[in-house]
Amino acid sequence: MTFTPDLLSRCISCGFCLPACPTYELTKDERSSPRGRIALMRALETGTLPMNDPGVAEESSFCLGCRACEVVCPAGVEYGQLLEEWRDATWRGRRRPVVVRALLRAVDRTWKVRLLGLFRRHARRRTGGSASLMLGCFERFLYPKVSRSAVALDPRLDVDPGQGCCGALHAHNGELAEGRALARKLGERLPGTIVTTSGGCAAHLADVLGRDRVVELSAWLSGPASAAGAALPGPAGPILVDGRPARIGLQDSCHLRNGLGVWREPRAILAALGEYVEVPGAASCCGAAGTYALVRPEDSAKVVAPKVDALRRLDLDILVTVNPGCTRQLQTAVRKAGLRTRVVHLAELAASARTDGSGR
Amino acid sequence: MTQTRSAADDLVRLLGPDRVFHDEATREAYARDATPLFHRRPDVVVTPASTAEVAEVVRYAAETGTPIVPRGAGSSLCAGAVALAGGISLVLTKMDAILEVSRPELLAVVQPGVTTIALDEAAGAQGLMFAPDPGSRTVSTIGGNIATCAGGLRGLKYGVTRNYVLGLEAVLGTGEVIRTGGRLVKDVAGYDLTRLFTGSEGTLAVITEATVGLLPRPAAAGYGLAYFGDLAGASTAVDAIVGAGILPATLEFLDNTCIRAVEDFAVLGLDVTAGALLLFGDDGDPATVERTVARMAEVCSSVPSCREVTLAADVAAADALLAARRCSLPALARLGTLTLLEDVSVPRPRMPEAVARIADIAARYGITMGTFGHAGDGNLHPTAVVDADDPAAVEAAHSAFAEVFRLAIDLGGTISGEHGIGAAKLPYLGARLGETHLGVLRRVKAAFDPAGILNPGKLGS
């Protein structure tokens, strides 16, 4: 048995997920819709399609895994879980993309993850506080300033530099057991509340450790941080650009929004930092989608294209992200399009606003 | 398989490789619509981009005797879009252009693959609206809406899809292209083929373009909620509302089984001891809406079995009220692994009797069945929830529904108000129409589709 039976049978094939799906939007092909993919999963389960069917393999890879279908599903299908089980069953051995294999191997041991961060100036201050900051695996390497900003915002956060990867990467890419094991290991290493700066990691950790153990940074700053007694300095005032409040937009993190229902919190924070502008399609996937941008760069570019058009029209000063993959994807897209908009993680923007109000 | 290959090869020659798919995964994805228990892979999936391409495919199908099943978003609830005889699944979602919205003429010209909501939003940009609002409007296509004469939540005030179709372009079963009606409110030149094609479920022609009527968009909407001891009370209230000269946009009800399922699922604070819940509402200019909703509340309160009436103070409160109605189906669906949704319609005064007897039937067969529906127009959605792996329970549900259909007909009603006949309800159509009528349908179909290739095994077969 490949799939949890209750998850598959819950789909009533109503098709309400079609308009929410970015890949269906690209193709208008039922095969690349959530309902169509569930039809394929059912066929795998009953054996009417073989595991190595090329069309099935293509669809398991073409799916972004953004879970936008889950929030519009009237029947409550847990599509993200089904996708993880699907890839776990079909992305075996050589059928897993080479890039993915390399990435998973790079962070499957704690020592490798520590090595990634060794020469990067990510936060590493032990405070003994009851809440720990999660450093992420690639985030500590690619964007070390994010964790430094997070501890600047809430100095009580404890940072254990010996922590490993949360396993979201593995769970999303066909190593479900490994992904869950890594999350449990991280949960043991970081007791108490885990604060994350990555929406994707937050959703995966919450799924394994329980919703009450995990808080994403914007949600943390909006409530629990002050409740936990942190004396957070208020913003020095709006971030100014040419003497006026900066025009700031947000790109939601799919798993943060669709998996954990967190989307108001980052908007509220940004509204305090400048003139908040809702980017059309902010809630839909930017095409980063974990390893997707690396595995399927052409499709990833097609997914981000309408977003770039929207950003060009809005001419924002700053576009804020709440997940490292989105930061990378949008920085690249914005640079290629020659836009002046600066793409930055929420932690960095909020921290800089408190220090000198420059937003830098 | 050779058959499949050769049809696909021929179609590739006609339309090119970008429009023709016959890999196993694509065929599996198009093997069903939103109707449970109906499944068959089409031999080939074709996605035409123009009327000329549709005509090419239909001509090919007619010459070779290949079945052809038109399909929009595949949200059919009567297996209307399942290729039960194999052949070609003709998917029209790529023909999704809104060609024109004319404010002075109050109409729009669209291709069939446009979604209902996209048309309504385009109309809304000019202060207009497309009135039919089927529950699946976010996904369903106009082509599918017209082919099934889709209804919705405001049928009493605004009617259904047929009231808004002014003209069509369609490809007949011969591959000929004809245009019916047009941009006219009045036009009696010839038989009304526009209406004939509306609700023909893809058995007479493939709709390739539609001219639809629009209305000025109402400025405001308001809602209220009333509980009654039994459905007869709610029904009395509905009669009294309409009898008082009020024609509201929304009159929806839930029976006790639905109220309990919704409350268990969504925890909205509903009164789970009530026999019926009535959601009422209207749209129009703000002052009129406020007055009408207040009057409806008053009428509801005057009914002896009325327990409580609540008015929505703002949009958020209205959304909370509407949520109860909107989540009826998913709430019921969570009670089992197989959800069978039906769609009988009865004259409004017979509604309390219909609902009570439907509950008796369900009890007699020992199955869970909740009924919700459009109280304003007598359209009921009895919904059975059973264990898919229990053949006896599935069989019991089918037997129960056969009785429900007979009951509806006995009460002067029909076996489907808005979902259609398709393959799912064809066995019961004779009971509704009689042999003579069925014979006429077959002769009509033969006139438009002499080769019998358009959606065979459904209406007119």
Side-chain angles (χ1 to χ4, degrees), chain B residues 222-261:
Chain B
Y223 298 92
L225 188 71
Y227 291 105
F228 297 89
D230 51 24
L231 192 86
S235 217
T236 308
V238 170
D239 285 345
I241 287 169
V242 180
I246 304 170
L247 191 64
T250 305
L251 280 173
E252 297 286 314
F253 83 95
L254 272 62
D255 72 357
N256 176 262
T257 305
C258 292
I259 296 172
R260 281 184 289 122

Side-chain angles (χ1 to χ4, degrees), chain A residues 166-205:
Chain A
C166 75
L169 197 60
H170 306 74
H172 298 156
N173 290 286
E175 285 193 356
L176 195 42
E178 174 77 1
R180 298 182 78 85
L182 284 169
R184 277 190 295 271
K185 198 169 161 192
L186 188 69
E188 286 161 19
R189 176 97 200 192
L190 309 178
T193 303
I194 301 175
V195 177
T196 86
T197 49
S198 156
C201 304
H204 172 69
L205 272 182

Side-chain angles (χ1 to χ4, degrees), chain A residues 10-23:
Chain A
R10 196 173 283 176
C11 173
I12 56 174
S13 297
C14 64
F16 277 34
C17 49
L18 268 56
C21 177
T23 56

Side-chain angles (χ1 to χ4, degrees), chain A residues 307-309 311-312 333-342:
Chain A
K307 229 168 256 297
V308 172
D309 291 342
L311 290 173
R312 183 177 289 115
V334 160
R335 192 181 58 240
K336 278 186 185 159
L339 306 184
R340 68 174 187 92
T341 305
R342 189 161 65 94

